[in-house]
Amino acid sequence: MVHQRADSRLEWWKCCSIYQIYPRSFQDSDGDGVGDLNGLLSRVDYLAWLGVGAVWLSPVYRSPMRDFGYDISDYTDVDPLFGTLTDFDRLVAALHERDIKLILDVVPNHTSDQHPWFVESRSSRDDPKRNWYVWADPDADGGPPNNWLSRFGGSAWEWDARTEQYYYHAFLQEQPDLNWRNPAVRFAFADVLRFWLRRGVDGFRVDASAVLAEDPLLRDEPPNPDFDSKTPPPERFKRVFTDARPETMSYIEEMRAIIEEFPDRALLGEVQGGIDRIGQFYDAERPRFHLPLNFLLLDTDWDATSLAAGIDQYINAIPDDAWPVWILGSHDKPRIATRIGIEQARIAAMLLFTLPGTPIFYAGDEIGMPNSVISSEEARDQFEALVPGYGLNRDPERAPMRWDGNEKAGFTSGEPWLPLGDHVKERNVAAQLSDDRSVLSLYRQLMALRQTEPTLHSGQFQPLRSQSQVLLFERCSDDRRLLIALNTTTGSHTVALHDRGMLRLSTHLDRLDEPVASQLHLRPNEGVVMEMLTSSL
């Protein structure tokens, strides 16, 4: 049966699947071992073939690369490592020609310490840009102003001998925090957003959005009651005075207002504080993010009971008219195929594309890429270097994309900036293109099904009680009912049904238009989408 395409009345960010690209690791065009814009441009046809509707591109701004682009020294230029502004414009045009949107990562919380704003700010206490950053006098004992800790380890305050004050940095000491209480900072950042919007960017993903404001009284953080020997040292205190402060919401509202100056754009945000806080980042009366990013699928224990509970908690935590969003992979989180295994990664993919809301996945998830094995000694990530021994190294999930099974995986003609990892021969695009039951084929079929099946992108969500660790739910519209059944175990299970139905897709990709009567038999690690027929047995 052929169904109409996604409802054209829905905004694009509700209809499409979003694909995150970490540019260093996607495709290298000049042999230096680091991905770049021209490399990405050469793969645009692949993105169109795959069926993604939008690309979320991690930072490509000028940067000293202490945090691989999240330490920005110029918000309105491209780092030569990635190319030029002309290359960026060519990329935007090529994506738009294929009806693919571009969402650009933006970092408002901090700059590089090499940004001209900070160079001026630290030059003198009297400099006009002094108050563009967060400066404070020493405590009475001459030490840092309070007990705030950097998320990358150690004090969040760095002494500046020239001006005899400390500056605040929530992350690396080379990433001083901007002072968002200063209207001049907010005006300057609004101009940054407009610069890229005028170049055709379709939206932004706002990095570390919940930490834009700090307590103006600089009060000490309270102890973390859950802190123990297994907890990373930066989490010794609860982040009450440096995370999700009320003022932050007004700053996000100002960013949203800039977005609204341009038609058909979207604002996504990285938020902190757990599921119970995520609803405040929507707020329809005072618009904030279109999509506050939700990492529940990456943080929940992988069994039907835990998943059902987590999904229910999230759905109930966001406003009734809010649009959900789900993330299955990220440059900051271990890859799903490593976390739960390649067979269950297929289950995760079906879950991602059948839940209500917008699905986001990370380049390489569609071929079941695993984490690369990178020791602490080999780590490039400063997080691991500064807080070793707690599994915080993000290099493993940032390993280069595998385009073929050759020595350099089709990523580069030089030496890849990170090791490629294991299973390159079978988990690469070329190998899976020729396999109609591959993970890549599954992703493509799931995205096509979601795009062409109105019930999946805009139908109601109806949870069902799990049976034998089979996660069950329905997506319903006026004339259609789809049952999604996901076996989260390595054993076979049978699910009792009240209605007959027709199997439309299996994660094994070998069952199509198969009638089902009173019982649904699921093989190990199998998930299915089934159209339920209206007549009852």
Side-chain angles (χ1 to χ4, degrees):
M1 184 180 296
V2 176
H3 306 293
Q4 67 185 44
R5 292 183 62 78
D7 189 340
S8 60
R9 294 169 297 179
L10 289 176
E11 297 93 335
W12 62 265
W13 48 270
K14 292 181 177 179
C15 299
C16 72
S17 301
I18 300 176
Y19 184 77
Q20 186 197 353
I21 291 176
Y22 191 66
R24 295 181 67 92
S25 299
F26 195 64
Q27 179 66 68
D28 175 26
S29 70
D30 58 12
D32 65 357
V34 177
D36 48 47
L37 292 177
N38 283 328
L40 198 167
L41 184 61
S42 72
R43 298 295 184 179
V44 167
D45 284 337
Y46 167 77
L47 302 177
W49 171 86
L50 185 59
V52 300
V55 166
W56 154 17
L57 183 63
S58 291
V60 292
Y61 313 96
R62 281 189 178 268
S63 167
M65 299 295 166
R66 287 289 292 165
D67 194 22
F68 297 117
Y70 287 89
D71 52 322
I72 296 169
S73 58
D74 188 340
Y75 282 110
T76 56
D77 199 5
V78 170
D79 194 276
L81 183 71
F82 299 122
T84 66
L85 276 172
T86 299
D87 296 330
F88 183 88
D89 293 340
R90 290 171 56 231
L91 174 63
V92 172
L95 290 170
H96 287 174
E97 285 171 7
R98 293 157 179 83
D99 200 24
I100 300 173
K101 306 291 188 181
L102 180 64
I103 300 164
L104 186 61
D105 233 324
V106 70
V107 187
N109 180 69
H110 51 265
T111 69
S112 164
D113 60 357
Q114 297 182 32
H115 195 291
W117 296 347
F118 187 69
V119 172
E120 293 179 47
S121 181
R122 77 186 311 178
S123 66
S124 164
R125 289 198 186 197
D126 298 324
D127 189 89
K129 286 192 170 59
R130 182 65 171 186
N131 198 35
W132 281 45
Y133 293 82
V134 181
W135 292 93
D137 290 326
D139 197 2
D141 62 3
N146 58 28
N147 70 354
W148 295 354
L149 297 176
S150 163
R151 285 153 174 82
F152 281 179
S155 173
W157 296 96
E158 184 70 15
W159 177 248
D160 182 67
R162 177 186 299 174
T163 57
E164 297 186 325
Q165 277 190 317
Y166 284 90
Y167 68 83
Y168 175 67
H169 57 94
F171 298 94
L172 293 175
Q173 68 180 50
E174 295 91 351
Q175 293 172 302
D177 274 46
L178 285 162
N179 177 17
W180 270 75
R181 297 181 188 280
N182 185 340
V185 169
R186 304 202 299 276
F187 293 152
F189 205 81
D191 284 341
V192 169
L193 298 180
R194 292 187 183 101
F195 174 87
W196 294 104
L197 291 165
R198 290 172 182 138
R199 299 194 92 89
V201 165
D202 299 286
F204 298 98
R205 177 265 189 184
V206 182
D207 181 70
S209 65
V211 299
L212 290 177
E214 305 81 31
D215 176 44
L217 299 177
L218 304 185
R219 287 171 285 183
D220 281 347
E221 302 278 31
N224 178 0
D226 299 322
F227 185 80
D228 58 26
S229 61
K230 296 180 181 179
T231 309
E235 304 307 317
R236 189 165 74 247
F237 302 113
K238 290 182 65 176
R239 299 187 188 280
V240 174
F241 295 114
T242 56
D243 195 350
R245 302 295 298 169
E247 306 94 318
T248 296
M249 301 305 157
S250 66
Y251 305 151
I252 294 171
E253 290 163 18
E254 289 183 19
M255 284 189 236
R256 175 65 178 268
I258 302 303
I259 294 293
E260 298 294 341
E261 294 175 8
F262 296 78
D264 206 23
R265 312 298 168 97
L267 194 63
L268 289 63
E270 179 189 24
V271 300
Q272 289 83 19
I275 292 299
D276 57 333
R277 283 187 179 182
I278 202 166
Q280 67 183 317
F281 289 91
Y282 284 97
D283 201 333
E285 292 184 4
R286 293 170 296 174
R288 294 167 183 168
F289 290 128
H290 294 93
L291 298 176
L293 301 185
N294 161 33
F295 290 90
L296 182 141
L297 297 182
L298 291 173
D299 296 333
T300 301
D301 290 340
W302 199 260
D303 60 81
T305 302
S306 299
L307 287 167
I311 292 166
D312 186 76
Q313 181 187 11
Y314 169 71
I315 293 292
N316 289 320
I318 65 176
D320 290 341
D321 57 352
W323 190 260
V325 56
W326 309 89
I327 295 181
L328 197 60
S330 160
H331 67 294
D332 283 337
K333 299 273 190 177
R335 283 194 178 270
I336 193 71
T338 292
R339 180 170 172 248
I340 64 175
I342 187 62
E343 295 303 327
Q344 279 295 309
R346 288 174 172 262
I347 297 291
M350 182 168 279
L351 177 60
L352 175 71
F353 292 107
T354 56
L355 282 169
T358 299
I360 301 177
F361 63 107
Y362 178 43
D365 289 344
E366 75 273 23
I367 55 173
M369 265 185 68
N371 280 0
S372 184
V373 177
I374 300 172
S375 67
S376 293
E377 294 74 22
E378 299 172 311
R380 303 281 301 275
D381 184 11
Q382 286 294 301
F383 208 173
E384 178 64 22
L386 295 170
V387 192
Y390 291 90
L392 300 176
N393 186 8
R394 298 167 297 178
D395 289 342
E397 54 264 28
R398 298 176 178 183
M401 182 71 172
R402 293 94 163 275
W403 296 102
D404 59 41
N406 295 322
E407 181 183 3
K408 305 296 176 61
F411 166 71
T412 183
S413 60
E415 188 62 28
W417 78 284
L418 284 175
L420 293 170
D422 299 328
H423 307 290
V424 175
K425 290 293 184 184
E426 65 273 21
R427 298 191 201 176
N428 68 73
V429 172
Q432 296 193 23
L433 277 173
S434 59
D435 180 359
D436 59 9
R437 294 187 185 177
S438 66
V439 179
L440 181 60
S441 294
L442 175 63
Y443 265 80
R444 190 168 185 244
Q445 290 195 39
L446 283 167
M447 275 186 280
L449 180 65
R450 184 182 182 276
Q451 187 68 13
T452 57
E453 176 56 74
T455 306
L456 282 181
H457 59 70
S458 55
Q460 295 295 311
F461 173 73
Q462 180 61 53
L464 301 173
R465 183 167 181 164
S466 300
Q467 300 180 33
S468 303
Q469 287 303 316
V470 175
L471 179 65
L472 296 165
F473 59 90
E474 289 185 346
R475 301 297 309 281
C476 309
S477 57
D478 291 340
D479 59 348
R480 289 177 66 74
R481 192 156 55 96
L482 299 177
L483 173 71
I484 290 84
L486 304 171
N487 183 0
T488 62
T489 77
T490 57
S492 299
H493 293 289
T494 299
V495 174
L497 301 175
H498 298 291
D499 298 315
R500 60 191 178 90
M502 186 74 69
L503 279 183
R504 294 306 185 197
L505 186 64
S506 163
T507 53
H508 292 2
L509 296 177
D510 60 355
R511 301 168 78 180
L512 180 65
D513 294 336
E514 177 183 314
V516 179
S518 60
Q519 293 183 323
L520 170 64
H521 300 286
L522 292 173
R523 292 165 290 180
N525 305 303
E526 183 179 26
V528 299
V529 176
M530 187 165 72
E531 180 182 354
M532 304 305 295
L533 305 180
T534 53
S535 59
S536 181
L537 294 176

